[in-house]
Amino acid sequence: MEDILKKITDKTYADLKIRKEIRTLSDLREMPHYTRETISMHDALKNGSGIIAEHKRQSPSKGSFKCPATLEQVVKGYENAGASAISCLTDEPFFGGTLQDLLDTRDCVDIPILRKDFMVDLYQIHEARAFGADAILLIASCLNDEELKTMANEAINLDLDILFEVHDLEELNRVKKVVQDFKTSTYLIGVNNRDLKKFKTDIQISKDLLEHFPKKALAISESGISDPEVVRELQDLGYRGFLIGENFMKTNDPGRTCAKFIKQTTL
C-alpha cells in the first residue's frame, strides 16, 4: 500500500516553499494575532469535557464528508456544545482546510484552537501563532528527534501548547526523550488510533500505550472514536482528551451531534 504520510509531507514541503515566498516571517510577526495572549488547551482539557472537536472537510481515505454547515456554524456549534477545544485542519490538498479557516475559527470562538496540520518546518509554528492558534500538533512519524526537539522549543517560546502525536511505543519513547528536560508540564501526548501510513484505525492502540506515558503528560486519544462508551472507558483508564472530527463532520449539524455526544459521555 502507498505510504500516504510520505505523499502528504512531500506536498507540504512543496506548498511551504511557495508560502514562504508570499509571506515572510516578518510579515507573520506583523499580523494582529501574533502577539495575542494564547489560551491554554492543556487547562481547558483538564478542567472541561475533554472533547477536542475538529473542523474537517474531507480525508484521504473517506473523501469529502459533504457537511452542509458553514465553518462558523460548525465551530460555534462545537463551542456551544461544551467542547474544550477546536481542532482546525489547515492542510488543503488532502483535507480541504486552509489557514483562512484557522483565522475564521479564531474570530468565531473563545476556546483554545489546535492547528491540525503536518508540521515539518519552524515557519509553520509562526504561521500557527499569526493565524490565531493556541496549540500545534507535532507528529512523531513526520519528524526526527532533533526536529521534534527544535520544533517543540520554538512552540514553547511562542507560548503555544504542544500536542505530540504518536502511534506506537517507539514513537512514544522518542517523545519521552524530548520532554524529559522540559521546564513546562503543560504538554499533551496524543495516541493516533489511525495508522497514518495505511489509514487503518484501532482503539486498542490507545489502551496499550497509556501505561508507558510520562507522568506529567496529559493523555489524548485521537481518531476512530464514535461511541461515547469508548470515551468513558478511556477516561477510566486515564485519558483526559479525545480528538473527534469525522463522527461529527459526517452529519448535517456537527455542533448538535457534538452536544449529544458530550452529554452521553457524562451519563
Side-chain angles (χ1 to χ4, degrees):
M1 181 176 289
E2 180 184 15
D3 187 335
I4 301 175
L5 183 59
K6 184 180 186 306
K7 187 175 179 180
I8 293 173
T9 53
D10 285 348
K11 179 61 175 170
T12 298
Y13 278 114
D15 289 350
L16 191 55
K17 185 177 180 180
I18 296 171
R19 292 209 304 277
K20 285 181 176 181
E21 293 175 354
I22 296 172
R23 185 180 282 116
T24 66
L25 271 177
S26 295
D27 293 332
L28 292 175
R29 293 188 178 105
E30 292 297 319
M31 293 178 67
H33 288 310
Y34 193 85
T35 55
R36 177 187 62 91
E37 183 176 350
T38 55
I39 309 166
S40 172
M41 191 168 86
H42 178 279
D43 292 349
L45 290 171
K46 192 174 181 180
N47 301 317
S49 66
I51 300 298
I52 308 170
E54 187 162 85
H55 181 266
K56 177 181 183 181
R57 291 189 177 89
Q58 64 188 50
S59 80
S61 58
K62 301 289 180 64
S64 173
F65 298 127
K66 295 181 173 62
C67 178
T70 65
L71 178 140
E72 181 177 355
Q73 290 170 333
V74 171
V75 298
K76 281 188 173 180
Y78 285 158
E79 183 177 36
N80 293 335
S84 291
I86 303 288
S87 170
C88 183
L89 255 300
T90 58
D91 172 86
E92 188 166 7
F94 298 91
F95 292 88
T98 66
L99 281 166
Q100 186 63 44
D101 288 344
L102 180 56
L103 200 60
D104 291 343
T105 300
R106 178 75 285 154
D107 291 339
C108 288
V109 302
D110 295 313
I111 57 177
I113 303 172
L114 168 73
R115 180 189 180 183
K116 182 87 174 292
D117 210 322
F118 296 83
M119 311 289 276
V120 294
D121 190 286
L122 292 174
Y123 178 88
Q124 292 169 286
I125 300 176
H126 291 267
E127 274 185 330
R129 190 69 165 91
F131 280 82
D134 301 287
I136 62 162
L137 181 74
L138 294 181
I139 304 172
S141 56
C142 290
L143 304 163
N144 62 38
D145 292 356
E146 188 58 35
E147 289 168 337
L148 268 176
K149 185 175 181 179
T150 301
M151 298 274 279
N153 284 330
E154 191 76 354
I156 291 170
N157 290 338
L158 292 176
D159 292 323
L160 294 169
D161 278 359
I162 304 162
L163 172 57
F164 293 98
E165 180 177 294
V166 302
H167 180 70
D168 56 33
L169 184 57
E170 185 271 332
E171 290 177 359
L172 177 57
N173 286 335
R174 288 176 54 220
V175 168
K176 286 166 73 172
K177 289 180 181 178
V178 170
V179 303
Q180 65 185 358
D181 296 324
F182 272 17
K183 293 180 181 179
T184 178
S185 61
T186 60
Y187 62 89
L188 309 98
I189 298 180
V191 176
N192 194 338
N193 302 305
R194 179 176 290 115
D195 184 336
L196 288 178
K197 295 183 178 181
K198 299 179 180 178
F199 271 70
K200 291 184 179 179
T201 304
D202 184 358
I203 295 294
Q204 188 62 40
I205 299 169
S206 282
K207 298 177 182 179
D208 293 342
L209 288 184
L210 185 61
E211 65 179 297
H212 302 286
F213 268 51
K215 292 181 180 179
K216 290 183 179 180
L218 204 67
I220 312 297
S221 184
E222 310 170 29
S223 300
I225 301 172
S226 59
D227 185 347
E229 179 60 38
V230 171
V231 169
R232 292 195 294 270
E233 182 182 0
L234 292 174
Q235 284 173 331
D236 289 342
L237 292 176
Y239 279 92
R240 292 295 171 261
F242 308 89
L243 198 155
I244 305 172
E246 180 181 328
N247 189 56
F248 301 150
M249 292 299 301
K250 67 183 181 182
T251 68
N252 289 336
D253 190 342
R256 184 178 180 181
T257 307
C258 179
K260 183 178 179 180
F261 188 93
I262 290 174
K263 185 176 181 180
Q264 290 176 330
T265 64
T266 56
L267 292 177

